[in-house]
Each structure stands twice: as structure tokens, then as C-alpha cells.
């Protein structure tokens, strides 16, 4: 079951004191002011690609793309809780490109870096044929479709999982309505059912999961892109099948000190393996799993847990890795992935 762990190390308290104060103010306000969605997206600036050079978006993307920057404000709190950029073509619904959380609690979605997404889009545009199909979590799929110009299995917003902090739980329905109004209505039943099949593949043993992915891709040349934070999203969707938890750790001193903290926490909480996601220059997020079906699932074997070897994965062929993203080629029917890692691009 996906679990949130927000107990902080003593040294981390100083780093997150501003976020903690924001959360206390926000929780207190909500206690006395129940109502509709407790936050809003406030537009900061919008325009064409040339007005956002600092984002480092890949060259060659559609010049008609319109970008916008939003800050996320909660009721009764003056400082933004999060920052996000969006992109859209014409009258199409906006696509979220990144999410920068300014608090110690996960809000709405998980953190992701636009710099990593831009690098992923460049790699896919360079190494995947134009007629290839990309399989990925629904949000990554929409981003890749927009920035890399490749067909994706999922093309509309599915909206799962929606991360609702405890103080907002009574307003879950209002939050869903607000998200639908802002981002566009979620996908239809057929695409949502296909997405559940995609989740089945990630949770299955590697060989079984790879076969399910090939079934979803049909006869097309196909690739799967996974991000480390997909672990937590999968756990929230399938809590009875995938027991994952996370904890943030400060990047202080040398790496040996961090690894020591990680191992001590993991052992004291009876987990067996972990992998890391870089949140910022000062923070990393560790995801923890137990040995058994969780750590032996396809998604866990695709990612660099201490008990996995992605370079040696036989069910899929690793072709790209940078930051939190790992991209694998799905073998064609009757083929094997025994050449895994043979033609890794320079980003790996």
C-alpha cells in the first residue's frame, strides 16, 4: 500500500520550515472554512515559446505551442504552494509540463523537472522512429506527444491518481471538479480501461508484464518510458497490490552520510530495497519496497533499486536513461531483449 512518510530528520526541519508554516496556516484555515476546492491556479505569465527561453524546451517543437506559468495558492495563505508550467495547441486542453512543490506534503501530483522532460523528448525524437508508439503514464504520454511529436498509447487526461492531502479529503469531489474544469474532462471508459491494463503490466513479473505491453502496442515498434515517481502513483492506484512508501532526505555533506541515513531508516522500518529521485539540489526522495512481488514486479526491475539490475533486464531492452526517466524498447512478437543496453544513447 502506498504510504506517505513525512517525518523529517532534524537537519531537514530548517530546510522546510517555510513550507511547514505554510501548511499549518493552510490546515488551520481549512478547519474553520469548509467549502469548494481549497486552492486555485493563478496565471503568472503566458505567451509563445520565445517568451520562455529559460525553460530549455527542445528545438523543433511546434512553434504554435502556447505556454503559461501558474502559481498554486491555497485559501488563506499568501505564498504559493506550488509552481507549474503548461503547454497547449490551439483550443486543446492544457498539458502540465512540470510541478514544483513548495511544501513538505505532496499536493495534487508528484514533483517532476522540466529539464528532465525536455531531455527525454529530445532522446525520443532522435532515437524512436516517427511511426513508433510510446507507452508511458498518461501524463508523461501527453507531454511526449506534445514535445517529441510521437504517437502515444494514451492521448487524453486520465487524472489518476489525484493526490489529496488529509485536510482536503472532505473536498475531494470539489477538487475533482476543479481539476476537470482546468485541465479538461478525463478520458473515456475505454482509454481508462486500457490504462488499468497498463498498470497490470507494470505490476506483473517482467516476462508477463512485457508480454502485456506488447499486447497493448499491437504490431507497431514500441517503447515504454518510466519515471521513478511512477512508483508512488502506481501505489496510490493499487494500494492492495503495490506497497511503496517514500521519505525525503536532505542532500547535506557527502553521499556516504546520505546512504547511511537511508539504510538506517530502511532497516528500522523493515523495508528491503530503495531507489532515489532528485527533487532539488538540496533534497532527494527515496522510495522503499519490500522483497517479494513488489520488488520483483516489472516496474521495480526497470528502475535502479538496490536489489535490481536494469542493465541486465531480459524482458525489455534499455535504450535511454537520464534523471528519473528510463526508456526501454518493447520486443516485437517472437523477439527477445537479450541485446539490452547495446545501443544506449549518450544521455545514459
Amino acid at each position: 500500500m502506498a504510504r506517505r512518510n513525512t517525518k523529517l530528520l532534524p537537519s531537514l526541519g530548517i530546510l522546510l520550515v517555510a513550507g511547514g508554516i505554510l501548511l499549518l496556516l493552510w490546515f488551520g484555515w481549512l478547519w474553520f472554512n469548509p467549502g469548494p476546492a481549497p486552492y486555485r491556479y493563478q496565471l503568472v505569465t503566458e505567451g509563445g515559446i520565445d517568451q520562455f527561453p529559460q525553460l530549455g524546451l527542445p528545438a523543433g517543437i511546434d512553434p504554435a505551442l502556447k505556454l503559461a506559468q501558474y502559481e498554486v495558492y491555497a485559501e488563506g495563505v499568501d505564498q504559493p504552494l506550488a509552481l507549474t508550467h503548461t503547454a497547449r495547441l490551439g483550443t486543446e486542453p492544457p498539458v502540465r509540463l512540470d510541478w514544483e512543490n513548495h511544501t513538505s506534503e505532496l499536493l495534487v501530483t508528484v514533483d517532476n523537472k522540466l529539464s528532465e522532460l525536455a531531455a527525454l523528448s529530445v532522446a525520443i525524437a532522435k532515437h524512436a522512429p516517427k511511426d513508433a508508439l510510446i507507452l508511458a503514464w498518461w501524463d508523461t504520454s501527453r507531454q511526449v506527444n506534445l514535445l517529441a511529436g510521437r504517437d502515444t498509447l494514451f492521448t487524453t487526461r486520465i487524472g489518476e491518481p489525484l493526490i489529496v492531502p488529509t485536510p482536503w479529503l472532505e473536498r475531494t469531489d470539489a477538487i475533482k471538479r476543479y481539476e476537470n474544469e482546468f485541465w479538461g474532462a478525463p478520458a473515456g471508459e475505454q482509454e481508462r480501461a486500457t490504462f488499468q491494463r497498463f498498470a497490470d503490466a507494470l505490476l506483473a513479473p517482467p516476462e508477463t508484464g512485457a508480454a502485456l505491453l506488447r499486447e497493448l502496442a499491437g504490431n507497431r515498434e514500441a517503447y515504454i518510458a518510466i519515471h521513478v515517481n511512477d512508483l508512488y502513483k502506481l501505489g496510490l492506484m493499487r494500494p492492495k497490490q503495490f506497497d511503496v512508501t517514500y521519505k525525503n532526505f536532505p542532500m547535506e555533506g557527502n553521499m556516504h552520510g546520505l546512504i547511511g541515513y537511508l539504510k538506517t531508516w530502511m532497516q528500522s522500518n523493515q523495508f528491503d530495497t530503495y531507489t532515489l529521485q532528485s527533487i532539488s539540489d538540496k533534497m532527494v526522495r527515496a522510495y522503499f519496497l519490500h522483497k517479494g512481488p513488489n520488488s520483483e514486479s516489472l516496474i521495480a526491475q526497470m528502475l535502479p533499486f538496490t536489489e535490481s539490475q536494469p542493465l541486465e533486464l531480459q524482458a525489455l531492452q534499455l535504450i535511454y536513461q537520464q534523471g528519473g526517466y528510463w526508456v526501454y524498447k518493447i520486443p516485437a512478437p517472437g523477439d527477445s531483449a537479450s541485446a539490452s543496453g547495446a545501443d544506449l544513447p549518450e544521455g545514459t
Side-chain angles (χ1 to χ4, degrees), residues 22 26 37-44 70-83 99 107 168 178:
L22 283 175
W26 162 41
Y39 64 94
R40 69 187 187 279
Y41 294 100
Q42 182 168 307
L43 180 64
V44 177
Y70 289 87
E71 291 177 334
V72 182
Y73 285 89
E75 298 167 336
V77 179
D78 293 333
Q79 299 299 315
L81 300 181
L83 171 71
W99 185 262
L107 310 174
W168 289 359
Y178 181 63

Side-chain angles (χ1 to χ4, degrees), residues 135 153 194-218 222-224 226 234 293 296-302 313-317 328-331 337:
L135 281 65
L153 182 62
T194 301
F195 184 66
Q196 292 300 323
R197 193 64 170 161
F198 176 72
D200 290 340
L202 297 180
L203 289 169
E207 295 295 335
T208 302
L212 288 174
L213 294 177
R214 170 44 62 191
E215 178 184 304
L216 290 171
Y223 301 80
I224 177 171
I226 287 294
L234 186 61
E296 295 169 5
S297 62
L298 176 60
I299 189 172
Q301 293 299 308
M302 292 170 68
L313 182 63
Q314 297 298 304
L316 301 169
Q317 180 185 352
Y328 291 80
K329 185 176 181 180
I330 302 170

